[in-house]
Amino acid sequence: MRILISGGGTGGHIFPAVSIANAIRRRHPDADIRFVGAEGRMEMERVPAAGYPITGLPVAGFDRKRLWRNFGVLVKLFKSLRMARKIVGEFKPDIAIGVGGYASGPVLKEAQRRGIPTLIQEQNSYPGVTNKLLCKRADKICVAYDGLDRYFPAEKIIMTGNPTRKDLDEIALTAEEAKKELGFDPERPLVLSIGGSLGALTVNEAIAASLPAITAKGAQLLWQTGRYQSDRFAAVAEGVAGVKTEKFISRMDLAYRAADLVVSRAGAGSISELENLGKAVILIPSPNVAEDHQRHNAEALARRDAAVMILDRDAVADLPAAIATLLDSPERREQLGRNARAMANTGADDRIAQIIDQIISDRKQ
């Protein structure tokens, strides 16, 4: 069995893609699974670390604010389309899977042109342009939110949920043990801030503004600042008792298990993980993403009282009070976590692997 998986750009695309690959590998240990990503993006490191080969395309996203820069983007797109033709032609996959991100477009377009079955895994409640362009010729579209028949052919949609990292569920430690393992006081509440692997400036500024509120409540903070802003915000946290900053948290299983309250962007992958784990969360959706899909994601939880949503423009002013209110009320945190858990759709990776098997089987008959 030959499987081609394309997409990436953020952890929200990469982690589901790797989870799907792992589920296929569990069902078919001898499957030949290859990835296609975008040059210079994080998938070029994370996918090989997960044990899979990857080829990078020079593709990049369109600059909607500075249109004159898009000539270079078009050149990269045409080069990527040529590379995709070669990759698909030489590998001859049984199926091509697109998880979103720049690289999924050229690969799935070429697979569809050749009559190779394709599957789209849409993580968000509002799909990106690439998936909306590819959906008509896709065999199946796996989604995590209701209402996507507004954008995709209804007969192709399957509600699977978003694949998440299995290690997050499998950790055997208690919350107290996880806090101790991370170097925190196991008896005091812990706030976890995960603005993103590269860093989210507004989230970091809002957390900086919230330090007095967090320490005044006797709480602790594990603060993922992201790669680009680590020095600035590590200096802000220096000397503040019970606060630790990290560029990137590699042991998210420990961090999630230890956390009493999470502050996060509203990427689909993070939301699915928080739902599966039943965590109380304050979501600050990024306004700098295509079609404002993070706000749609956050609203889907906020409407069901499964998260507190604060808009990016209000975060610095409003986050301190929101954190203080939730630290004062374990009952409210428990209610949010319970409602989030009720929205979880676990086992998505195995369901998608089963759908892939069925598509391939149907095509071979």
Side-chain angles (χ1 to χ4, degrees):
M1 182 181 287
R2 294 182 302 279
I3 309 291
L4 193 59
I5 303 177
S6 60
T10 68
H13 292 129
I14 297 163
F15 296 134
V18 171
S19 294
I20 292 169
N22 291 341
I24 295 169
R25 182 63 50 84
R26 288 194 297 272
R27 296 169 71 91
H28 306 282
D30 59 346
D32 188 355
I33 302 173
R34 301 187 190 182
F35 281 74
V36 179
E39 289 178 353
R41 307 292 293 204
M42 62 188 296
E43 60 264 27
M44 302 307 294
E45 296 178 7
R46 300 290 169 77
V47 169
Y52 298 100
I54 186 169
T55 301
L57 303 181
V59 66
F62 282 95
D63 192 326
R64 302 182 186 196
K65 294 180 180 178
R66 294 163 291 188
L67 297 177
W68 65 89
R69 294 192 173 189
N70 288 323
F71 177 77
V73 173
L74 288 171
V75 172
K76 290 180 178 180
L77 176 60
F78 288 127
K79 186 177 179 181
S80 297
L81 287 167
R82 288 198 305 269
M83 290 179 66
R85 289 191 198 104
K86 183 178 180 183
I87 291 166
V88 175
E90 292 180 352
F91 185 50
K92 296 180 175 60
D94 294 298
I95 190 169
I97 302 160
V99 297
Y102 304 141
S104 64
V107 172
L108 262 68
K109 182 177 176 62
E110 179 60 20
Q112 290 175 349
R113 189 182 73 83
R114 292 172 179 262
I116 294 167
T118 57
L119 177 141
I120 292 172
Q121 199 269 315
E122 173 56 65
Q123 296 101 19
N124 294 292
S125 59
Y126 190 89
V129 172
T130 300
N131 283 349
K132 285 193 280 189
L133 291 173
L134 294 166
C135 68
K136 289 183 180 178
R137 297 182 65 185
D139 288 69
K140 295 295 178 184
I141 304 165
C142 298
V143 304
Y145 292 93
D146 293 323
L148 283 167
D149 54 353
R150 290 175 291 172
Y151 314 105
F152 299 142
E155 69 277 8
K156 297 185 178 186
I157 294 174
I158 302 177
M159 174 64 73
T160 60
N162 282 326
T164 58
R165 294 171 279 186
K166 283 201 174 295
D167 64 309
L168 302 181
D169 301 305
E170 294 170 351
I171 183 171
L173 300 181
T174 64
E176 291 73 22
E177 290 168 339
K179 287 177 186 176
K180 196 171 181 180
E181 185 78 14
L182 291 167
F184 290 99
D185 183 343
E187 303 301 321
R188 294 163 58 198
L190 178 68
V191 178
L192 169 65
S193 175
I194 44 172
S197 57
L198 301 180
L201 180 59
T202 303
V203 174
N204 282 332
E205 289 177 338
I207 288 291
S210 302
L211 287 178
I214 293 170
T215 55
K217 297 298 179 182
Q220 306 165 101
L221 172 65
L222 177 55
W223 184 359
Q224 180 176 279
T225 60
R227 185 187 310 165
Y228 294 153
Q229 300 153 16
S230 59
D231 292 343
R232 172 185 169 185
F233 290 103
V236 170
E238 188 173 359
V240 182
V243 176
K244 292 187 176 183
T245 63
E246 300 282 353
K247 291 182 183 179
F248 180 76
I249 300 171
S250 57
R251 287 295 306 274
M252 281 304 300
D253 55 338
L254 279 175
Y256 275 138
R257 181 56 56 90
D260 297 279
L261 174 64
V262 181
V263 178
S264 176
R265 282 300 200 195
S270 296
I271 284 180
S272 293
E273 291 173 350
L274 292 161
E275 288 174 346
N276 288 350
L277 298 171
K279 286 292 176 181
V281 60
I282 300 171
L283 295 172
I284 305 173
S286 172
N288 305 312
V289 293
E291 287 83 32
D292 201 19
H293 66 250
Q294 286 205 8
R295 182 176 62 83
H296 292 279
N297 293 346
E299 286 174 343
L301 274 74
R303 281 195 300 269
R304 296 177 64 172
D305 196 33
V308 172
M309 183 181 79
I310 300 176
L311 294 179
D312 188 86
R313 63 174 180 264
D314 302 323
V316 174
D318 293 353
L319 184 63
I323 289 176
T325 298
L326 288 171
L327 287 175
D328 278 339
S329 179
E331 297 81 10
R332 176 65 177 143
R333 296 199 305 268
E334 184 179 342
Q335 180 185 37
L336 286 170
R338 187 168 57 248
N339 292 344
R341 186 70 181 83
M343 294 182 68
N345 211 333
T346 58
D349 52 351
D350 289 316
R351 278 193 292 277
I352 293 170
Q354 185 176 6
I355 293 164
I356 290 165
D357 277 358
Q358 189 62 54
I359 292 171
I360 294 173
S361 175
D362 289 347
R363 283 292 189 101
K364 290 183 175 179
Q365 288 180 359

